[in-house]
Amino acid sequence: MMEIFQQLFGSAEGMRTFRAPGRVNLIGEHTDYNLGFVLPVALDLATTVATAPSRDRMLRIYSQQRQEMRQWKVEELAELAPAHDWSDYPAGVARELILAGFPIQPANLLIASTVPEGSGLSSSAALEVSSALALLHGRTLNPLELALLCQRAERNFVGMPCGIMDQYISVFGRRNCAVEIDCRSQGHRLVDLPAGITFVAVNTMVKHALASSAYRERVAECAAAVAGIGQRFRGVESLRDVSPEQLAAVEPQLMETVARRARHVVTEDDRVGRFVEASAAGDLRQMGQLMLDSHASLRDDYEVSCEELDFLVQAATAIDGVYGSRMTGGGFGGCTVTLLRADSAKAFAAKIVDAYRDRFDVTPAVYACQPSDGAGAL
Ligand code: GAF
């Protein structure tokens, strides 16, 4: 990176490099903005940002993937309008840093990433968190504040009403562990995974245009469910507060679609807890079944799956050594995550690639999901 940095900006003097990982979510999908539970792991796929002070008043950011440069006077950053491209992530972070009392110093940034974009492995959060660390310019922010600031950048500047999962795991990821996040208290606990198993992500290579509008729709439908259920039961402020019994009691009064959305969230929260228990007991069959149940719920009740994801889940279950599989991330394309015996991983990859190619004439990318550490300086 130093060589490229030097070529681009003339000098790499004082260069520092930061890394923030993507993630795969094992279970707990579309529960974070409902203040429930999620269980992601940070990946060794990551975004790296190299930075050094610049001699003028400019902030320059170069994306190696896009081969594009953006630049602004540092004084302009507070008033910036979104450009509706990749640069909104670092620019949104810069704006939030200024609002939090961290003026942006003139600097050059070089961004490189191994997190595939639009794959449901959280390339956006990896870009936000690594940019924030670079733009802090040696100043420090506590880890939770860092995650929350990056979430605000995505919500306020990029305009995506996301939950906290992706930024949180990018900051708090831990090698060899999954992280169970309580999205209300914003605390977490590390979850050891059973020996002899592994997780593999398979990329459909599709991202349907629907993804961001449908995400907004789901957020609104969950709010409608809370409003409806809250009329009957006191103290319901989010779907996190709703028990399966309460939901069953009010279901007839809710719009049918809204009731199904709520049912997904309420049952998915419960599955996260049961998955963590099954993991502690080494009950691989139960872990796999919960992943399959999660997928069915996302497909039928939450309606965020698609033909390609459903195919991959179905095909995975027929392969030797597989315990369970589900879509991961926002949905409408991106990846599945599959739980399987570690010694079956190689054969699994070959078989799932063949099956997907036969069906869609597209070669899916396969990623080993080795739980890795969260963001930091390199
Ligand atoms: C996207 C969002 F950014 C997350 O906050 C989360 O809601 C996820 O979709 C679905 O679980 O990655």
Side-chain angles (χ1 to χ4, degrees), residues 23 28-30 32-33 162-166 215 329-330:
R23 59 104 187 93
E29 216 65 80
H30 289 278
D32 61 350
Y33 52 85
C162 64
I164 187 62
M165 168 168 68
D166 300 352
Y215 191 94

Side-chain angles (χ1 to χ4, degrees), residues 23-358:
R23 59 104 187 93
V24 68
N25 188 20
L26 304 184
I27 198 160
E29 216 65 80
H30 289 278
T31 46
D32 61 350
Y33 52 85
N34 291 299
L35 305 187
F37 297 91
V38 293
L39 188 71
V41 304
L43 296 174
D44 58 4
L45 300 169
T47 299
T48 305
V49 178
T51 180
S54 77
R55 290 176 204 284
D56 48 21
R57 297 297 303 157
M58 305 299 285
L59 173 68
R60 284 189 201 81
I61 305 187
Y62 184 81
S63 159
Q64 201 175 22
Q65 258 165 315
R66 303 293 173 109
Q67 309 232 320
E68 282 175 9
M69 178 83 84
R70 294 285 184 278
Q71 52 182 331
W72 309 272
K73 286 204 186 85
V74 287
E75 292 79 15
E76 285 170 7
L77 287 165
E79 303 301 328
L80 222 57
H84 306 292
D85 65 16
W86 64 271
S87 67
D88 285 351
Y89 297 98
V93 166
R95 192 169 156 271
E96 288 299 333
L97 280 169
I98 296 167
L99 290 173
F102 296 93
I104 300 300
Q105 309 298 318
N108 296 320
L109 269 64
L110 164 61
I111 299 172
S113 188
T114 55
V115 190
E117 258 178 58
S119 59
L121 300 181
S122 193
S123 59
S124 316
L127 177 52
E128 289 153 8
V129 173
S130 53
S131 301
L133 290 173
L135 291 169
L136 272 165
H137 218 84
R139 296 162 295 187
T140 52
L141 197 59
N142 85 48
L144 181 58
E145 284 307 318
L146 173 64
L148 290 168
L149 184 140
C150 291
Q151 183 198 21
R152 288 201 298 278
E154 183 144 352
R155 293 177 71 102
N156 300 342
F157 197 72
V158 179
M160 166 79 176
C162 64
I164 187 62
M165 168 168 68
D166 300 352
Q167 294 81 6
Y168 195 105
I169 186 65
S170 189
V171 171
F172 287 97
R174 185 70 70 84
R175 187 174 305 198
N176 298 329
C177 288
V179 181
E180 185 187 16
I181 306 168
D182 177 336
C183 298
R184 169 170 276 160
S185 73
Q186 296 169 344
H188 68 266
R189 60 176 167 146
L190 299 177
V191 173
D192 288 324
L193 297 164
I197 55 107
T198 191
F199 291 90
V200 172
V202 183
N203 195 344
T204 59
M205 314 304 278
V206 297
K207 182 165 171 62
H208 292 287
L210 243 90
S212 68
S213 59
Y215 191 94
R216 275 170 239 283
E217 243 171 63
R218 298 299 179 277
V219 171
E221 286 163 345
C222 289
V226 170
I229 302 167
Q231 281 179 3
R232 173 82 177 272
F233 296 103
R234 284 166 148 260
V236 171
E237 283 169 10
S238 75
L239 287 176
R240 157 72 176 273
D241 301 315
V242 179
S243 67
E245 296 71 29
Q246 287 174 324
L247 182 60
V250 291
E251 249 186 70
Q253 277 96 62
L254 297 177
M255 267 174 59
E256 194 265 343
T257 315
V258 168
R260 279 191 291 121
R261 305 298 189 243
R263 187 163 65 206
H264 164 69
V265 176
V266 171
T267 57
E268 183 78 351
D269 263 337
D270 180 56
R271 280 188 285 272
V272 177
R274 290 198 285 145
F275 189 90
V276 170
E277 279 168 25
S279 178
D283 189 345
L284 299 171
R285 270 179 211 291
Q286 172 72 347
M287 290 168 79
Q289 188 56 49
L290 288 163
M291 291 174 78
L292 292 169
D293 294 348
S294 167
H295 185 77
S297 176
L298 288 157
R299 182 190 61 209
D300 302 335
D301 280 345
Y302 219 61
E303 294 180 285
V304 290
S305 187
C306 63
E307 194 192 348
E308 294 87 347
L309 287 166
D310 294 343
F311 176 85
L312 281 178
V313 168
Q314 194 59 43
T317 57
I319 297 174
D320 190 43
V322 168
Y323 292 100
S325 184
R326 56 182 288 278
M327 56 154 279
T328 187
F332 300 102
C335 288
T336 57
V337 58
T338 298
L339 166 63
L340 72 167
R341 276 202 327 260
D343 59 11
S344 305
K346 213 168 159 199
F348 169 80
K351 286 187 183 150
I352 201 84
V353 166
D354 278 354
Y356 195 75
R357 229 192 247 144
D358 281 353

